[in-house]
Amino acid sequence: QISKDKIPPEYKFPQPFDASVVESLYPILHEKHLFADSTILADNRLKHEALELFPVKLKVTQKLYSLQNDGASSEVFHTACDFKGPYVVLVKTFNKYVFGYYCPLNFTKEEKYFGHENFWIFTLVNDYGRSMIFKIKAEKNFIALYNSEKSPCLGSTLKGKEDLYIDFDDLKNSCSNVGYAYKLWDSKIDGSKILSGKSSDWEFNDIEVYHVE
């Protein structure tokens, strides 16, 4: 009988199955299929940062709309996205800034405000050098989302009080001033610049809307 110690390593039997190894790999394997077709989160490090930042742990992501593929049109946006919530909306501007929001309700063409406590705006790449989340204020959650036959708006629709508005028909009308309905947790953060460097007149690389579970 040959001693196991004398068997060359390449001929030794495999080690017993170690479930802990599989468990340690699961987050990596699980993340791989989330936002797999995203141009905005194509960098795996950025995607990992986003998934770690989000308060909701996602299991499924399905792209419904992208600016690059579908063009700037509120009609196309509604056709692709209405009644398919919850959503994660991703935005990239100026070849740099990455931000977006989580919407737990459905997009519709109904002209009215909708409230929910689980809305939040996020920024992944900004001039502050760190990712952040801005949750809807408890006292303002009744205006978390304004649905419209054109383009939805987060927060107030009053000029200068839009926390985040993306105009799918005329992108240059898009704007943001986080802090009215969504909470800036640090007074040093400039709500008009945190998402895209300035409050309006953005140059868009892409917008992606995902159904998530």
Side-chain angles (χ1 to χ4, degrees):
Q1 185 175 1
I2 302 174
S3 170
K4 287 184 179 181
D5 294 335
K6 295 182 179 180
I7 299 177
E10 63 268 27
Y11 293 108
K12 287 188 177 180
F13 293 108
Q15 295 296 315
F17 175 75
D18 188 346
S20 64
V21 174
V22 177
E23 290 174 1
S24 66
L25 289 174
Y26 176 77
I28 299 172
L29 298 173
H30 176 64
E31 285 184 5
K32 189 174 182 179
H33 80 275
L34 297 175
F35 301 110
D37 54 354
S38 172
T39 63
I40 297 175
L41 296 182
D43 185 318
N44 286 328
R45 290 173 297 178
L46 187 62
K47 179 168 72 170
H48 177 74
E49 185 175 346
L51 294 172
E52 288 291 306
L53 178 71
F54 294 169
V56 175
K57 298 307 177 186
L58 304 180
K59 298 178 181 178
V60 175
T61 59
Q62 177 188 0
K63 186 186 284 188
L64 304 174
Y65 166 90
S66 77
L67 177 64
Q68 286 189 5
N69 294 332
D70 303 310
S73 164
S74 62
E75 187 61 36
V76 171
F77 162 79
H78 280 292
T79 299
C81 302
D82 280 6
F83 302 103
K84 296 177 182 177
Y87 312 91
V88 165
V89 178
L90 301 169
V91 184
K92 185 171 184 178
T93 61
F94 297 108
N95 290 312
K96 174 183 177 181
Y97 301 100
V98 177
F99 58 94
Y101 62 93
Y102 174 79
C103 172
L105 304 178
N106 285 322
F107 291 132
T108 73
K109 288 187 175 182
E110 189 175 5
E111 296 275 351
K112 64 178 290 187
Y113 282 107
F114 289 84
H116 199 288
E117 62 184 6
N118 289 333
F119 275 86
W120 29 272
I121 297 170
F122 61 87
T123 169
L124 297 173
V125 181
N126 53 63
D127 293 330
Y128 291 80
R130 56 169 298 184
S131 56
M132 308 180 204
I133 276 190
F134 310 108
K135 296 183 178 181
I136 186 70
K137 296 177 181 178
E139 67 274 18
K140 297 288 188 181
N141 70 22
F142 65 97
I143 58 170
L145 170 72
Y146 185 81
N147 263 324
S148 168
E149 65 177 354
K150 295 296 185 180
S151 302
C153 178
L154 297 193
S156 175
T157 56
L158 296 175
K159 189 68 175 176
K161 292 186 177 180
E162 308 98 327
D163 286 82
L164 178 54
Y165 173 61
I166 298 172
D167 188 332
F168 285 93
D169 291 317
D170 188 350
L171 292 173
K172 285 198 172 293
N173 287 333
S174 303
C175 58
S176 174
N177 191 7
V178 180
Y180 182 73
Y182 288 76
K183 186 177 181 179
L184 289 174
W185 41 266
D186 189 331
S187 60
K188 296 178 182 178
I189 299 172
D190 187 336
S192 67
K193 298 179 180 179
I194 180 60
L195 297 186
S196 190
K198 56 182 181 177
S199 61
S200 60
D201 196 26
W202 302 334
E203 294 177 9
F204 285 84
N205 299 105
D206 205 358
I207 303 167
E208 297 175 326
V209 181
Y210 281 84
H211 163 75
V212 298
E213 297 176 12

